[in-house]
Amino acid sequence: MLRVQLIILLSIVLSIFMVSINSFAGQPVMDMAPRWEGGYGFQLRYESYGSDILLDGDSKIDNPLDIKNFVDKIWLEGVYTFDRSKRITFKLPFIGQVRTKTISGIGVKQKNSGVSDLVIGLPLKKYFNRGSETSNWGFTPSLRLPTGSYSGDYPLSDGSWDLGLGLSYSTETFKFYSLYDLFYWYNTEGKRNMREGNEIGFDINWGIHAYHNSKENSGMFLMWDIGARHHEKPNAFTLTSASGGTHVHTGPVLMLYRETMMFHVEYKWGVYEKMKGINTSKGNISQISAGITF
Amino acid sequence: MKVDLYTKIVLTAIGLFLNVTGDSKLSVIKDAAAAVGGYDYKQYQQHSETNTEFLSGGVDASEIKPNEVIIEVHGVVCSFCAQGVKKKLRKFKFVVRSRLNKGIAMNMKNQRITVAIKSGAKVDVQGLFKAVLSGGYEPISALIADKDGNIRSVKADA
């Protein structure tokens, strides 16, 4: 009982601390910069997650067949800024995925790799620059195009056209940064009757501008990220890695910048997961990225 | 021991990326501590020692030197996000790239952009304000000091 109380007290203290310090975001090249007319940038982002832990709902169960699912993605991302209130972005993933799936009571290993679905976004932002603080509201309609292969036993895409909507707010001072982002993906039915299901999620980023050097134009942000996703269960025809369920991940983020270049690394632990039926845990998520703006 | 080695490797890599050398390492720790504490003692010291006679919109006349323009802006808090402003300001022919940091110095704590100008050149102040705006920020006012140190102030249109 005392242990539970201590955990609750620690959580409250930590929450108050994190709220009080405001903070920052995971993909600075796509969000923070470029905010100038005619600016553009590129980013390479590596993302990895997966697990061999089998869950029934939110309970861990035995996994005698060694069922597992691991996904690696390399995202090529780009942004062009018409003016600070209008941008266009693209995100193209190259995916490598491997899993062991139960087929007729036997664990069957499957793998696939290649280019997956291209995402085009149109971030619209309203900026407020007040004294030594800048903040903005963002509204981002997005379209996911079926550019990935939908063939085989473990396809990279369900071959559908999907529509996304995002609403965000971020605020930044010389010391602190914070971002709040709510999004929804409406996933239509694709090829071979596959339908991955709709998804809703939010991200919170809090951080401090821990170091800044005006002369060298370099600096460092330390942040904390909290992300939650709720994904509908895919239909029975879906063969992709989509699994459905509710996931909450949280962890630290480090961002370094120098002149026009930035480097970012983050690691997030799965702190809550509830699957639709029996499925593998998403596991912990690691990301590393490097970007440049012009 | 292995953890110590990895920590040193990571910190060295970060230091090289940020170009942090020698005594600056100490200031990194001080800056980080000040950020966590929510205040900056250096900024407080600078303010305490500065003449606070403001000529225009909060820009202090004692900050300016001959052949310089100081622009007061709102919203400039991170140099990674503010590269566009520098790029746009450097395009003006009257900016001297051999002075300051390629002609521009930014002070994000005080919301000031200092521009080095050619001696005797006619300064397009409204053009500078437009450059700040298209860089993503709000220009408030400017002080312009000519080669003899004569100062005039201009407010940006709301």
Side-chain angles (χ1 to χ4, degrees), chain B:
Chain B
M1 287 300 277
K2 272 188 177 178
V3 173
D4 283 351
L5 179 64
Y6 293 145
T7 306
K8 278 179 187 172
I9 291 169
V10 170
L11 289 177
T12 304
I14 291 172
L16 284 171
F17 185 84
L18 299 176
N19 205 18
V20 177
T21 52
D23 293 340
S24 299
K25 283 174 185 169
L26 185 63
S27 69
V28 173
I29 297 164
K30 282 181 179 173
D31 284 351
V36 172
Y39 69 94
D40 192 302
Y41 67 96
K42 282 184 290 187
Q43 192 178 13
Y44 172 76
Q45 281 182 333
Q46 282 167 6
H47 269 289
S48 303
E49 294 162 4
T50 300
N51 178 352
T52 53
E53 182 188 352
F54 298 121
L55 289 187
S56 165
V59 178
D60 188 337
S62 66
E63 298 172 34
I64 199 163
K65 293 174 186 168
N67 292 319
E68 280 185 0
V69 175
I70 294 184
I71 309 169
E72 184 193 13
V73 292
H74 277 182
V76 179
V77 294
C78 155
S79 55
F80 182 67
C81 323
Q83 304 155 37
V85 174
K86 291 187 227 175
K87 196 194 292 187
K88 288 178 186 297
L89 290 174
R90 284 179 185 133
K91 283 183 179 171
F92 289 94
K93 286 183 179 170
F94 55 79
V95 174
V96 184
R97 292 173 65 95
S98 58
R99 288 172 52 204
L100 302 175
N101 184 1
K102 293 178 188 168
I104 311 290
M106 301 194 90
N107 186 333
M108 269 150 276
K109 289 177 184 171
N110 295 333
Q111 300 286 292
R112 306 278 188 270
I113 301 173
T114 304
V115 183
I117 54 173
K118 283 181 188 169
S119 182
K122 191 180 178 209
V123 178
D124 176 8
V125 187
Q126 294 304 325
L128 292 176
F129 287 153
K130 278 183 189 167
V132 171
L133 198 61
S134 71
Y137 299 93
E138 252 60 54
I140 303 301
S141 63
L143 285 184
I144 304 106
D146 66 17
K147 60 183 166 54
D148 300 319
N150 299 315
I151 299 170
R152 67 188 172 99
S153 65
V154 178
K155 281 205 168 193
D157 295 332

Side-chain angles (χ1 to χ4, degrees), chain A:
Chain A
M1 192 62 185
L2 182 65
R3 197 175 163 191
V4 173
Q5 285 173 331
L6 275 174
I7 290 170
I8 291 169
L9 184 67
L10 193 64
S11 304
I12 292 169
V13 169
L14 201 62
S15 302
I16 291 169
F17 173 71
M18 295 310 287
V19 168
S20 69
I21 63 169
N22 258 339
S23 342
F24 188 91
Q27 295 177 50
V29 166
M30 308 295 281
D31 184 65
M32 294 172 73
R35 60 188 279 169
W36 53 93
E37 283 178 23
Y40 59 98
F42 299 99
Q43 181 169 265
L44 265 181
R45 181 164 58 94
Y46 170 71
E47 179 184 19
S48 177
Y49 57 85
S51 168
D52 57 2
I53 295 171
L54 206 54
L55 296 173
D56 182 0
D58 57 359
S59 305
K60 188 178 171 183
I61 58 172
D62 288 342
N63 185 8
L65 296 176
D66 195 24
I67 304 303
K68 58 191 168 192
N69 186 32
F70 289 93
V71 179
D72 294 299
K73 296 181 181 177
I74 297 173
W75 294 84
L76 172 63
E77 303 175 331
V79 56
Y80 178 81
T81 303
F82 299 100
D83 64 54
R84 68 185 183 187
S85 62
K86 290 186 283 294
R87 300 178 192 185
I88 188 163
T89 63
F90 78 86
K91 299 179 182 184
L92 184 67
F94 180 89
I95 298 180
Q97 55 189 19
V98 57
R99 72 179 170 191
T100 302
K101 186 182 178 184
T102 313
I103 299 175
S104 305
I106 302 168
V108 178
K109 191 174 178 181
Q110 298 174 324
K111 62 179 181 178
N112 199 357
S113 62
V115 173
S116 188
D117 294 345
L118 174 69
V119 179
I120 304 284
L122 190 68
L124 307 171
K125 288 174 178 280
K126 174 68 179 169
Y127 275 94
F128 299 93
N129 294 313
R130 289 174 297 240
S132 55
E133 180 191 359
T134 183
S135 58
N136 72 78
W137 285 93
F139 176 73
T140 307
S142 300
L143 187 65
R144 186 157 51 209
L145 287 70
T147 52
S149 166
Y150 52 84
S151 62
D153 296 332
Y154 191 19
L156 301 162
S157 165
D158 67 350
S160 67
W161 292 76
D162 305 325
L163 180 68
L165 284 176
L167 180 67
S168 66
Y169 175 74
S170 82
T171 181
E172 187 181 0
T173 67
F174 182 66
K175 297 291 183 190
F176 308 118
Y177 183 96
S178 63
L179 172 76
Y180 308 89
D181 185 23
L182 176 69
F183 69 86
Y184 181 76
W185 274 104
Y186 175 72
N187 290 336
T188 63
E189 185 172 304
K191 304 290 184 184
R192 302 162 67 188
N193 300 116
M194 290 189 284
R195 182 168 183 159
E196 290 185 321
N198 302 332
E199 183 182 12
I200 189 167
F202 74 87
D203 287 291
I204 298 173
N205 290 264
W206 289 318
I208 57 170
H209 197 179
Y211 170 68
H212 176 256
N213 184 330
S214 290
K215 197 178 170 189
E216 297 292 339
N217 194 18
S218 63
M220 170 171 64
F221 282 92
L222 297 170
M223 297 162 274
W224 197 268
D225 182 289
I226 302 169
R229 307 280 182 273
H230 177 74
H231 205 141
E232 285 178 352
K233 188 176 182 179
N235 70 8
F237 301 103
T238 303
L239 300 170
T240 64
S241 64
S243 58
T246 304
H247 310 267
V248 180
H249 286 80
T250 188
V253 182
L254 170 70
M255 194 281 246
L256 308 171
Y257 65 86
R258 184 172 175 190
E259 297 289 351
T260 59
M261 296 177 294
M262 79 88 207
F263 172 78
H264 138 263
V265 59
E266 69 178 75
Y267 190 84
K268 288 189 284 189
W269 292 273
V271 291
Y272 175 78
E273 281 191 290
K274 186 170 186 178
M275 310 305 293
K276 302 280 187 185
I278 295 175
N279 221 316
T280 49
S281 159
K282 191 169 184 179
N284 300 332
I285 303 171
S286 52
Q287 289 196 65
I288 184 166
S289 72
I292 188 163
T293 57
F294 301 93

